[in-house]
Amino acid sequence: MIHWQDHIASEPDVMYGKPCFKGTRIPVELILEKIALGRPIDEILEGYPKLTRESIQAAQLYALAAVRNDIFFPEA
């Protein structure tokens, strides 16, 4: 099982503290945006050779955890 915490970290001195893939300056949000816009995973991996399929899956699990926890929409 993949744990997103093994692949993603937030450090104040790297990309202003945005969550990035460990050992890189690649923000998780950038990769999630590419996935959301329909970019094929193979194309993403080709463009970012430091990432792996597990990295991509970890980004998706990170997004899932973010949505599951502490995000509430005010009633209209």
Side-chain angles (χ1 to χ4, degrees), residues 22-52:
K22 289 184 177 180
T24 77
R25 296 179 66 81
I26 304 168
V28 172
E29 74 175 280
L30 175 68
I31 300 306
L32 290 171
E33 179 180 29
K34 290 180 181 297
I35 293 168
L37 293 173
R39 294 288 177 110
I41 301 300
D42 288 333
E43 182 181 307
I44 295 170
L45 293 172
E46 190 175 304
Y48 299 90
K50 289 189 174 191
L51 299 183
T52 64

Side-chain angles (χ1 to χ4, degrees), residues 5-74:
Q5 298 90 337
D6 295 337
H7 298 267
I8 296 168
S10 176
E11 299 177 25
D13 58 336
V14 178
M15 299 297 290
Y16 305 104
K18 287 187 175 212
C20 292
F21 295 95
K22 289 184 177 180
T24 77
R25 296 179 66 81
I26 304 168
V28 172
E29 74 175 280
L30 175 68
I31 300 306
L32 290 171
E33 179 180 29
K34 290 180 181 297
I35 293 168
L37 293 173
R39 294 288 177 110
I41 301 300
D42 288 333
E43 182 181 307
I44 295 170
L45 293 172
E46 190 175 304
Y48 299 90
K50 289 189 174 191
L51 299 183
T52 64
R53 289 190 184 279
E54 281 190 351
S55 302
I56 303 293
Q57 190 173 3
Q60 293 170 313
L61 290 169
Y62 172 80
L64 176 61
V67 171
R68 265 192 188 147
N69 296 304
D70 299 324
I71 298 177
F72 299 96
F73 292 95

